[in-house]
Amino acid sequence: MANVLIIGAGGVGSVVAHKCAMNSQVFTTIMLASRTKAKCDRIAAEIQEMHGITIQTAQVDADVVAETVALIRSFNPVLVINVALPYQDLPIMDACLEAGVHYMDTANYEPKEVAKFEYSWQWAYKERFEQAGLMALLGCGFDPGATQVFTAYASKHYFDRMDYLDIVDCNAGNHGKAFATNFNPEINIREITQPGRYWENGEWVEIPAMSIHKPIDYPAIGPRESYVLYHEELESLVKNFPTLKRARFWMTFGQAYLTHLEVLQNVGMTRIDSVQFKGIDIVPLEFLKAVLPAPDSLGENYTGQTSIGCQIKGVKDGEDRTYFIWNNCDHAETYREVRGQAVSYTTGVPAMIGAMLMLTGVWMKPGVWNCEELDPDPFIEQMNKQGLPVNERVNIPLPHEYPA
């Protein structure tokens, strides 16, 4: 049906490439590009061996707009799937506009020099994409992405008014490493060391990092200590569902992980400013990333599950209602299917689904969009077909306090 260019050959990029190849009736020709072509070639060989599909590979520095434009024009894709670093969102969007192709990503833009992520930079592209007749789909992973689809699905089918939203994210897997991050270490550590933030009564409440926490019981996993973080989908969800009185994001961390992180912070290894070392400038966090296990190397012996969902309280037909929608994903199963661990899988599969819905015209409309602004039903349908089965329960007790 269409050519697609995937930029980024990390753990998520590998899953996206595998899943696109497994849906070759939609993704007829696939190119995987990265700064390091050897990584793309390794993934391409794996896809050929496992699925019998040949994909093309290329080298590109996505920071350089002209280089990305040249690649787009030579390959002629309909859509660029950006699963590179969040720093590269804007240059890739610029390249898509110049070359006249559609765009999507899995994480919002973040400037390299400051740990701050928000949608304002990308929302500012809305008119330009509209005028060009092109679509940009933002944050189509799991969280962000599927969690926004879950919220839109709840609003469409279960509520007249949603009042309280808690996104709950648990990784109960064991990769056997003393300390490792499940996605890009640089992005992961920048995210969780920043102050937390949540929405309450029409304003953002900022809290010290990891200062609000409690055990939450996750399906098929059990209770896990969960911490309030700021996560990007909250910004668009409270904008698009203005009845929400409170919206929070919770994520689990094991004590060993938190202890390692505290030590690394205390000795300055999570700094994002440069320091002098033997006459050259280095960024401590970038050096730390280089010595930690790569996320795409964790899959082979990973055991356990992830569990991610939305817990919502609101009103339907004048009655109070609670609703829980979630997915559990098994690390060992995802490794058998695509040679990736479940955190990469739960981001990569929704990215492929979003691309599929764009290319088939189901989600195609010019402009810049977040996932909750589009029809959730076909996305949920594809999750159930593509390896991320959706579970839901209505009117069950939820582990949160609600004002009277």
Side-chain angles (χ1 to χ4, degrees):
M1 179 177 287
N3 290 4
V4 64
L5 171 61
I6 304 164
I7 299 179
V12 175
S14 176
V15 172
V16 173
H18 273 268
K19 294 299 287 192
C20 286
M22 293 166 70
N23 288 273
S24 57
Q25 75 282 4
V26 174
F27 305 97
T28 48
T29 309
I30 301 162
M31 176 178 278
L32 178 62
S34 171
R35 195 187 304 268
T36 307
K37 186 173 181 291
K39 294 170 69 176
C40 303
D41 293 339
R42 178 188 60 76
I43 294 166
E46 199 172 71
I47 289 170
Q48 177 65 49
E49 179 188 346
M50 294 179 68
H51 314 300
I53 299 290
T54 299
I55 71 169
Q56 300 179 40
T57 63
Q59 191 278 332
V60 69
D61 183 347
D63 290 323
V64 182
V65 173
E67 204 171 305
T68 308
V69 169
L71 178 62
I72 292 171
R73 287 180 173 159
S74 67
F75 179 59
N76 196 31
V78 174
L79 169 68
V80 171
I81 302 176
N82 168 19
V83 281
L85 294 172
Y87 321 134
Q88 297 170 310
D89 288 1
L90 301 189
I92 297 175
M93 291 179 81
D94 287 334
C96 288
L97 282 168
E98 186 172 335
V101 298
H102 303 293
Y103 168 90
M104 69 164 293
D105 63 38
T106 61
N108 66 3
Y109 174 69
E110 180 175 337
K112 193 171 180 64
E113 65 279 1
V114 57
K116 178 182 181 183
F117 46 96
E118 60 183 48
Y119 280 117
S120 60
W121 290 286
Q122 291 179 278
W123 284 343
Y125 279 69
K126 189 173 182 68
E127 259 186 49
R128 292 168 64 194
F129 271 84
E130 284 175 352
Q131 290 168 0
L134 298 172
M135 179 176 180
L137 178 61
L138 307 182
C140 191
F142 207 110
D143 43 350
T147 50
Q148 291 153 281
V149 172
F150 284 175
T151 307
Y153 187 78
S155 177
K156 180 176 179 178
H157 295 287
Y158 291 97
F159 291 97
D160 298 323
R161 187 188 78 228
M162 296 188 299
D163 295 326
Y164 300 95
L165 167 66
D166 288 276
I167 299 169
V168 292
D169 181 325
C170 173
N171 178 18
N174 179 16
H175 47 55
K177 309 290 185 184
F179 182 79
T181 62
N182 293 289
F183 59 97
N184 186 290
E186 190 178 348
I187 303 304
N188 179 242
I189 291 171
R190 283 166 64 113
E191 177 181 291
I192 66 176
T193 55
Q194 299 313 300
R197 199 155 46 120
Y198 63 93
W199 182 259
E200 189 165 41
N201 297 326
E203 62 183 15
W204 293 106
V205 179
E206 189 168 292
I207 59 173
M210 317 296 265
S211 60
I212 295 179
H213 57 96
K214 65 180 178 182
I216 291 176
D217 199 348
Y218 292 87
I221 292 170
R224 290 288 191 278
E225 198 69 16
S226 306
Y227 298 77
V228 171
L229 307 179
Y230 176 66
H231 226 243
E232 61 214 67
E233 65 263 47
L234 295 178
E235 181 183 10
S236 65
L237 285 169
V238 300
K239 170 177 170 279
N240 289 311
F241 298 103
T243 64
L244 285 171
K245 298 175 183 176
R246 187 181 68 204
R248 300 179 295 190
F249 182 96
W250 303 80
M251 183 174 280
T252 62
F253 297 95
Q255 190 54 54
Y257 181 96
L258 294 176
T259 300
H260 277 85
L261 185 61
E262 183 179 8
V263 171
L264 291 168
Q265 281 185 278
N266 287 343
V267 299
M269 286 304 299
T270 62
R271 287 173 54 176
I272 63 174
D273 57 323
S274 62
V275 299
Q276 278 264 320
F277 177 72
K278 293 188 176 180
I280 59 171
D281 286 335
I282 66 164
V283 175
L285 183 55
E286 291 179 359
F287 176 79
L288 178 63
K289 172 187 173 181
V291 299
L292 287 176
D296 58 1
S297 72
L298 301 176
E300 186 169 5
N301 299 306
Y302 220 138
T303 58
Q305 296 185 13
T306 63
S307 182
I308 312 172
C310 294
Q311 299 178 335
I312 303 168
K313 184 176 186 294
V315 174
K316 178 69 173 178
D317 297 328
E319 300 287 334
D320 285 350
R321 170 174 281 183
T322 63
Y323 177 67
F324 182 23
I325 179 170
W326 78 94
N327 162 264
N328 274 37
C329 188
D330 186 273
H331 287 285
E333 288 179 10
T334 64
Y335 186 77
R336 283 192 291 271
E337 183 188 346
V338 297
R339 294 295 183 267
Q341 38 97 341
V343 176
S344 296
Y345 190 88
T346 54
T347 305
V349 174
M352 182 279 294
I353 293 172
M356 174 186 285
L357 296 180
M358 290 175 70
L359 293 176
T360 55
V362 177
W363 269 17
M364 181 56 68
K365 57 179 180 176
V368 175
W369 305 98
N370 294 94
C371 291
E372 72 270 21
E373 297 178 283
L374 304 156
D375 184 5
D377 293 5
F379 196 101
I380 297 286
E381 180 184 352
Q382 285 298 325
M383 287 184 71
N384 286 319
K385 291 178 179 178
Q386 300 291 343
L388 292 175
V390 176
N391 307 281
E392 50 186 336
R393 294 187 67 186
V394 180
N395 283 338
I396 60 168
L398 297 178
H400 310 293
E401 301 75 39
Y402 302 106

